[in-house]
Amino acid sequence: MISDLSALLSWIVDLFSVEFTIYGFTFSMWQVFLFDIVAAIVAWFIGKVLLDD
């Protein structure tokens, strides 16, 4: 059971480490994932500041 979980987490880390290049810029899935999280937090904060009654 624990070896299956370890294998799954290892597979996920390997998947997120895949790099791809778009228009000469190289990204990994980790970078895209972290950018999405930060952008969502910033958008939520701006929405709370500007749209909060």
Side-chain angles (χ1 to χ4, degrees), residues 26-51:
T26 302
F27 303 101
S28 71
M29 292 302 288
W30 283 115
Q31 291 171 323
V32 173
F33 183 67
L34 291 175
F35 175 79
D36 287 344
I37 290 173
V38 170
I41 291 171
V42 168
W44 175 81
F45 181 74
I46 290 173
K48 279 298 212 180
V49 168
L50 296 178
L51 303 175

Side-chain angles (χ1 to χ4, degrees), residues 14-35:
D14 289 342
L15 179 67
F16 271 62
S17 297
V18 171
E19 293 184 342
F20 53 93
T21 302
I22 299 175
Y23 297 116
F25 296 100
T26 302
F27 303 101
S28 71
M29 292 302 288
W30 283 115
Q31 291 171 323
V32 173
F33 183 67
L34 291 175
F35 175 79

Side-chain angles (χ1 to χ4, degrees), residues 4-20:
D4 293 337
L5 181 61
S6 173
L8 176 64
L9 291 176
S10 175
W11 180 77
I12 291 171
V13 168
D14 289 342
L15 179 67
F16 271 62
S17 297
V18 171
E19 293 184 342
F20 53 93

